[in-house]
Amino acid sequence: MTTKKASNPGSAGTLITVAPTGAEADKKKYPPLPVTIDELVTTARDCEAAGASVIHVHIRDGKARPTLDLARLKDTVQALRENTTLIVQLSTGGAVTDSYKDRLAVLDAAPDGCSLTCGTVNFGDEVFMNPWPFIRELYARTKELQVAPEFELFDLGHVTTLHRLLDDLGEPHGGHVHCDLVMGVPGGMPGDAATLVSAVAALPTGSSWSATGIGRSSLPVMFAALSAGGHLRVGMEDTTSYTKGRKVASNAELVQRAAALAELSQRPPMRTYQARAFLGAGDHSR
Ligand code: KMH
Ligand code: ZN
């Protein structure tokens, strides 16, 4: 594997991404989970006020089940654009049951950005499938449709695939490689400082990165990311406990905590216009 150093060009501030919903958490068990467009917009506004600049979006249907319904995705993108200045990043990962065809079609909702997972991973009892031909096709489509991808890396092998992708198809739309280390998924890389440091060392030269720790690895990964110069992703997609024994009351409180730690680290949250320039994620009004 190529082991080039990643850097964080222009990253005096901290990019905070909120992933408020995901495809897995159950609304009945976690009532603050935003599942309707109205709930998502309210959450997005609160999280923007708290310091988030990117929203990673999964949508739910009328029964709060994960869906990739294109009309609903388009309505969601529009509602978030009308009510916030957040960078709207749609998930192309969806739920483990979603087809490749539907996951590719997500880009037709014309988001600013999208997630792009660089490999297959055991996902608890399930398998989150991302074979090479699908990764390649999805990446080619982000370039065609001018959507800024964020490379989701659940394991060190995914970093190898990211190098292969960039070698094969060149730089992404926006010209900047931004990665997200998703740590602590049962089946993926563990959420600890030593693993984070070795994953960061393997990233492509000049790329920036954020990190998120699933469940109880949320705080260790956040502290490790800040101390290693990275950016942060938080939200109920990744953790539903605020502290041991206390459920998350809102996504905004997770963003508030991340923003406070970023401030303490002397790298305050980026504003959305700074984040757009940083990521090459296009113009809000497009
Ligand atoms: N829900 C997971 C199976 C992504 O959004 O791109 C996949 C996921 C990754 O959440
Ligand atoms: Zn996701």
Side-chain angles (χ1 to χ4, degrees):
M1 178 197 305
T2 328
T3 50
K4 297 174 186 164
K5 264 196 177 313
S7 66
N8 280 293
S11 62
T14 302
L15 181 85
I16 300 180
T17 299
V18 63
T21 309
E24 288 79 29
D26 182 355
K27 174 76 171 171
K28 286 197 200 84
K29 200 165 163 201
Y30 302 103
L33 194 76
V35 296
T36 65
I37 294 185
D38 283 353
E39 286 172 350
L40 194 59
V41 165
T42 303
T43 297
R45 293 174 75 143
D46 293 348
C47 291
E48 181 173 1
S53 48
V54 180
I55 184 162
H56 169 82
V57 178
H58 289 252
I59 60 165
R60 302 290 180 101
D61 67 12
K63 292 187 171 158
R65 295 172 305 202
T67 177
L68 291 180
D69 179 77
L70 189 55
R72 204 172 172 91
L73 281 169
K74 286 182 179 168
D75 288 348
T76 304
V77 171
Q78 189 185 343
L80 290 169
R81 287 224 173 101
E82 282 171 4
N83 290 284
T84 75
T85 66
L86 291 168
I87 295 168
V88 180
Q89 179 194 91
L90 290 183
S91 165
T92 63
V96 290
T97 45
D98 285 318
S99 68
Y100 299 131
K101 183 167 162 281
D102 287 349
R103 291 170 58 191
L104 284 166
V106 164
L107 298 191
D108 296 333
D112 301 309
C114 70
S115 56
L116 195 164
T117 299
C118 292
T120 294
V121 64
N122 281 308
F123 197 77
D125 294 346
E126 319 278 356
V127 181
F128 177 31
M129 292 292 293
N130 294 284
W132 169 250
F134 171 71
I135 294 171
R136 202 178 181 286
E137 190 178 351
L138 179 57
Y139 185 51
R141 205 144 166 72
T142 62
K143 287 163 72 90
E144 201 181 310
L145 297 178
Q146 304 191 341
V147 175
E150 175 182 280
F151 301 100
E152 308 295 326
L153 308 168
F154 288 66
D155 221 334
L156 209 47
H158 295 190
V159 183
T160 311
T161 298
L162 172 59
H163 282 279
R164 181 181 177 196
L165 195 59
L166 298 174
D167 288 347
D168 207 12
L169 293 183
E171 66 177 22
H173 169 69
H176 178 68
V177 176
H178 182 70
C179 308
D180 182 42
L181 304 174
V182 185
M183 311 185 72
V185 168
M189 63 184 149
D192 57 49
T195 305
L196 182 139
V197 168
S198 58
V200 169
L203 295 179
T205 306
S207 57
S208 58
W209 58 277
S210 55
T212 184
I214 303 302
R216 71 186 60 170
S217 68
S218 173
L219 281 171
V221 167
M222 188 150 33
F223 286 118
L226 282 170
S227 65
H231 300 275
L232 306 176
R233 171 172 129 170
V234 293
M236 293 182 73
E237 172 166 347
D238 301 336
T239 180
T240 45
S241 297
Y242 188 79
T243 49
K244 203 173 170 190
R246 201 274 258 172
K247 285 183 183 172
V248 170
S250 69
N251 278 284
E253 75 169 358
L254 294 171
V255 176
Q256 279 155 10
R257 179 167 66 181
L261 293 174
E263 291 276 2
L264 262 180
S265 308
Q266 305 282 293
R267 288 177 47 223
M270 280 187 201
R271 308 286 298 275
T272 49
Y273 72 91
Q274 295 169 315
R276 268 177 207 283
F278 178 65
L279 295 174
D283 173 8
H284 171 59
S285 58
R286 99 187 155 97

